[in-house]
Every structure is written in structure tokens, then in C-alpha cells.
Amino acid sequence: MSMQHIVENDLVRDEYGNYYKVVGTHTEGDLLKALEVSNLYFETSFQHAADSLVGDAKTKPMGVFLQEQVNAYIDEVQQNERPIYGIRDLMVNRVKVYAVDITQPHPLRDQTV
């Protein structure tokens, strides 16, 4: 699996089983140098407005709904035959990985709902 073909929306998994969505790539020429990743659970939480929930989703705890959305995204990535990259593998291949600061406003905050 080539680390040089990583694109936004790909997934990265750490050694603890946490999933991260690639939200930015940094290259020098054709060489991938760094990734910006955000926890997939965090990213998913900004994709769905609570008032858009229908049926069973309205009666479930928000965490259950979000977990289902996270798992659906992972399944979609796998069905599209995109690799899920390991953070350690990226670092061994000299690709720096930066995480989004979840205490700061989400970039999509003003675009949602």
C-alpha cells in the first residue's frame, strides 16, 4: 500500500483502534510530507443536524446514532476499496500526522445546520 496515494476523506487508524479522517494533505512536489487528521467520531458529529434525525434516530441516544454513522463510513471506505492507513506506518514512512484540535471551533461549524 503506497502512502503517496492518500487523499482527503481516507481513513487512518491508530494502534488503539481509533479512526481518523484525513482532512488535509501537505506535499512537496509529488511527495506526501504530512497529513492533518481528525477523529472520525468528531467529524461525524458535525455532519448531521439533530433536527434532521427521523424515525428511530430521534429516540436513540446521540452517541448510538453517531457510532452507527462512524461504522457506516468505515464500511463505505472498505467497500470503495480504499486502504485504511496505520499511524505508525505513516510515521515510519516519514509522513507527519497532525490532529485537529477538537477544543477549537470545527471548520464546518458555520456551514452546518
Side-chain angles (χ1 to χ4, degrees):
M1 134 178 50
S2 173
M3 304 287 168
Q4 295 303 311
H5 299 291
I6 298 173
V7 296
E8 286 189 18
N9 297 320
D10 274 354
L11 291 180
V12 174
R13 195 179 114 172
D14 69 17
E15 62 271 20
Y16 305 108
N18 298 302
Y19 287 86
Y20 303 87
K21 187 175 185 179
V22 176
V23 295
T25 59
H26 305 279
T27 58
E28 286 182 13
D30 290 337
L31 188 60
L32 179 66
K33 289 296 200 172
L35 296 176
E36 185 173 12
V37 298
S38 182
N39 186 286
L40 184 56
Y41 198 86
F42 178 68
E43 284 301 302
T44 300
S45 71
F46 285 90
Q47 302 301 315
H48 303 279
D51 60 354
S52 70
L53 302 180
V54 294
D56 266 358
K58 279 194 173 198
T59 61
K60 293 180 185 178
M62 184 56 86
V64 172
F65 173 75
L66 291 174
Q67 187 177 51
E68 290 170 351
Q69 296 298 309
V70 165
N71 289 334
Y73 189 85
I74 293 167
D75 288 343
E76 181 182 333
V77 166
Q78 291 171 331
Q79 288 174 8
N80 289 332
E81 298 181 7
R82 291 296 304 166
I84 297 175
Y85 300 90
I87 284 185
R88 285 186 189 253
D89 293 334
L90 291 163
M91 291 179 176
V92 165
N93 284 280
R94 298 181 185 186
V95 176
K96 294 179 182 176
V97 180
Y98 301 92
V100 169
D101 183 346
I102 65 171
T103 65
Q104 298 301 311
H106 189 278
L108 297 178
R109 181 183 69 173
D110 296 330
Q111 300 171 16
T112 58
V113 198

